[in-house]
Amino acid sequence: MIEELADRLRQCGEDTGHPEFAARMAHALEAVVADLQALPRDDAPTVLDLYRYVEERLARNPEDSAARWGLVALSLVHGANDGGLSLLGPEIAADPAIVADAVTIADWVFQEIGVDLTRELSEACSHADRRALAAPARTNDRLID
């Protein structure tokens, strides 16, 4: 079951027009699955085990980017209403370029389940440093049109 999640992510990415983003999310998911499977256990992990694992990792270390992106990937593959946007604030604060991923998530969720994430997108993007976000749009002190 867990192995099928990455394939579903890739298919949803194709369906929504975001195959590159879906490939990155599938890779993030595969990485946390590999971490979970490397732990000693008596049985094969389930999707519920995977959720618990990444949630516990993120609770222990809020800066664990791999766990955060794993949760985002799980949110997307399971049709969570916010697509994991509520998790992206720290990622956007660290790298304003992640705003593009947040916009992709909002579009993905709208296309897949019809939920408008304008408010959630605004909240997630509010974590970005405005100067750092504006910097790529400026060249020689002029805005690029």
Side-chain angles (χ1 to χ4, degrees):
M1 176 76 165
I2 288 180
E3 291 78 18
E4 297 171 3
L5 296 177
D7 290 337
R8 285 198 306 199
L9 267 173
R10 289 183 186 93
Q11 184 58 54
C12 287
E14 290 292 330
D15 295 346
T16 61
H18 303 293
E20 295 87 11
F21 179 73
R24 285 192 292 125
M25 292 298 93
H27 179 72
L29 187 60
E30 289 166 341
V32 293
V33 167
D35 290 347
L36 175 62
Q37 289 176 330
L39 296 175
R41 53 185 306 124
D42 294 331
D43 56 352
T46 66
V47 174
L48 184 57
D49 293 332
L50 181 58
Y51 267 105
R52 287 180 183 145
Y53 172 69
V54 291
E55 286 173 341
E56 288 172 9
R57 269 181 57 172
L58 195 56
R60 279 192 313 270
N61 179 8
E63 295 179 17
D64 185 342
S65 189
R68 184 176 308 283
W69 282 109
L71 278 174
V72 170
L74 284 167
S75 295
L76 287 169
V77 78
H78 285 126
N81 285 347
D82 81 342
L85 275 178
S86 61
L87 299 165
L88 288 186
E91 297 293 327
I92 290 171
D95 181 2
I98 301 297
V99 166
D101 290 340
V103 170
T104 298
I105 290 169
D107 182 59
W108 177 310
V109 170
F110 184 76
Q111 288 188 55
E112 282 291 302
I113 60 177
V115 175
D116 181 354
L117 295 180
T118 302
R119 186 172 355 114
E120 292 84 352
L121 180 60
S122 178
E123 168 60 30
C125 293
S126 73
H127 294 269
D129 177 336
R130 289 187 181 270
R131 288 179 296 204
L133 190 56
R138 295 186 179 272
T139 301
N140 297 329
D141 295 324
R142 293 185 10 233
L143 281 176
I144 297 173
D145 294 321

